[in-house]
């Protein structure tokens, strides 16, 4: 069983979400399917597809205009939330520190956070990939919490149509698995995300410690997303 999560980013409509849910309800798979959609679409419900947000506030409530708390997300019936996506880190100032607080708020509200880590192209070129991944996991994961998912998203490959080599993915996922195990969180699912398509999904998910994928662009069309879900058992 693999976990196939879609991240719609700031895309989609309610109509598309309804169409996607209907299509996903009819597919024959044991894989876990999650759709992380904009806040305005969170109230969707489906027995087959879990719904998630793309960020939550680190705060419970208060004077934080524009923010949405983990409890508010949970109250819609959603059960997951992404935290620490590279686009939040790039455009909204999220750091490992704030991501850890958001992940803790998500867990406290009963949501499963999908905590993203990954290196930029500059960090990769400076030979810092492993250091960034390891500190990302150590600093973004709250203490004493088991109900989490990690997503390795090499930031330079997101939306770029290019992916790391299998060896690069394998080393990153091995390091994440070892780091989690060292933190007492062995067995935590680890997803790969960045330029996942139907044509590379099965190969990527055959790499050790790749427990599923986090899909951006290819999760926005039924005909692109379903073949990714059904590419593995
Ligand atoms: P793409 O699949 O469009 O590269 O996006 C990946 C991503 O950011 C998922 O969170």
């Amino acid at each position: 069983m693999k976990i196939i999560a879609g991240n719609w980013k700031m895309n989609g409509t309610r109509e598309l979400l309804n169409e996607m849910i209907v299509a996903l309800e009819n597919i024959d798979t044991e894989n876990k399917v999650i759709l992380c959609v904009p806040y305005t679409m969170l109230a969707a419900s489906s027995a087959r597809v879990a719904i998630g947000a793309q960020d939550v506030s680190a705060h419970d409530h208060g004077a934080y205009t524009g923010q949405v708390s983990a409890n508010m997300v949970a109250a819609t019936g959603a059960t997951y939330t992404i935290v620490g996506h590279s686009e939040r880190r790039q455009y909204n100032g999220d750091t490992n520190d704030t991501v850890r607080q958001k992940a803790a708020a998500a867990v406290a509200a009963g949501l499963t956070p999908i905590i993203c880590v990954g290196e930029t192209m500059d960090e990769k070129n400076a030979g810092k990939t492993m250091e960034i991944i390891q500190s990302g996991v150590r600093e973004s994961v709250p203490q004493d919490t088991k109900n989490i998912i990690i997503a390795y998203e090499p930031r330079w490959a997101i939306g770029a149509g290019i992916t790391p080599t299998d060896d690069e993915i394998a080393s990153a996922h091995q390091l994440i698995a070892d780091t989690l195990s060292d933190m007492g969180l062995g067995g935590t699912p680890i997803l790969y995300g960045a330029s996942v398509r139907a044509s590379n999904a099965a190969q990527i998910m055959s790499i050790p410690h790749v427990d599923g994928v986090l899909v951006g662009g290819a999760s926005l069309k039924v005909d692109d997303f379903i073949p990714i879900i059904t590419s593995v058992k």
Side-chain angles (χ1 to χ4, degrees):
M1 200 271 296
K2 298 287 187 184
I3 300 169
I4 318 288
N7 173 11
W8 276 17
K9 310 191 178 185
M10 199 172 71
N11 295 295
T13 59
R14 277 171 183 278
E15 289 70 29
L16 177 62
L17 183 55
N18 290 339
E19 183 197 335
M20 186 68 86
I21 285 172
V22 169
L24 293 175
E25 272 168 0
N26 294 319
I27 59 170
D28 182 22
T29 177
E30 283 168 17
N31 296 324
K32 172 92 189 160
V33 182
I34 306 164
L35 275 179
C36 296
V37 295
Y39 290 128
T40 50
M41 300 176 208
L42 281 180
S45 85
S46 159
R48 185 67 194 78
V49 186
I51 302 292
Q54 300 171 8
D55 185 46
V56 289
S57 175
H59 306 285
D60 284 343
H61 62 270
Y64 302 102
T65 302
Q67 297 193 30
V68 176
S69 76
N71 280 319
M72 291 169 180
V73 169
T76 68
T79 45
Y80 290 82
T81 185
I82 295 171
V83 288
H85 190 276
S86 66
E87 288 146 20
R88 297 283 322 172
R89 293 176 187 260
Q90 184 177 353
Y91 304 126
N92 298 86
D94 282 14
T95 61
N96 288 340
D97 233 24
T98 52
V99 172
R100 189 180 62 253
Q101 293 168 34
K102 289 176 174 197
V107 171
L111 301 172
T112 301
I114 302 172
I115 304 170
C116 302
V117 298
E119 77 286 4
T120 62
M121 185 54 106
D122 284 351
E123 289 161 346
K124 176 179 162 63
N125 290 340
K128 290 187 171 164
T129 298
M130 293 294 142
E131 183 187 323
I132 294 294
I133 293 173
Q134 194 171 39
S135 59
V137 173
R138 285 206 180 277
E139 295 167 18
S140 302
V141 171
Q143 293 281 311
D144 302 325
T145 178
K146 296 223 176 287
N147 189 26
I148 60 166
I149 294 174
I150 301 293
Y152 169 54
E153 296 210 318
R155 291 165 67 166
W156 50 274
I158 292 176
I162 46 167
T163 53
T165 63
D166 287 2
D167 281 352
E168 286 173 325
I169 297 175
S171 325
H173 280 246
Q174 182 69 55
L175 175 64
I176 294 170
D178 290 346
T179 306
L180 288 166
S181 165
D182 203 45
M183 296 168 76
L185 297 171
T188 297
I190 308 166
L191 313 184
Y192 168 81
S195 295
V196 175
R197 307 275 178 271
S199 53
N200 60 17
Q203 173 60 25
I204 290 172
M205 285 188 271
S206 72
I207 297 170
H209 298 296
V210 178
D211 302 304
V213 286
L214 180 54
V215 186
S219 70
L220 281 162
K221 283 194 191 143
V222 170
D223 291 347
D224 291 337
F225 196 39
I226 288 183
I228 293 175
I229 301 165
T230 55
S231 69
V232 288
K233 283 281 165 223

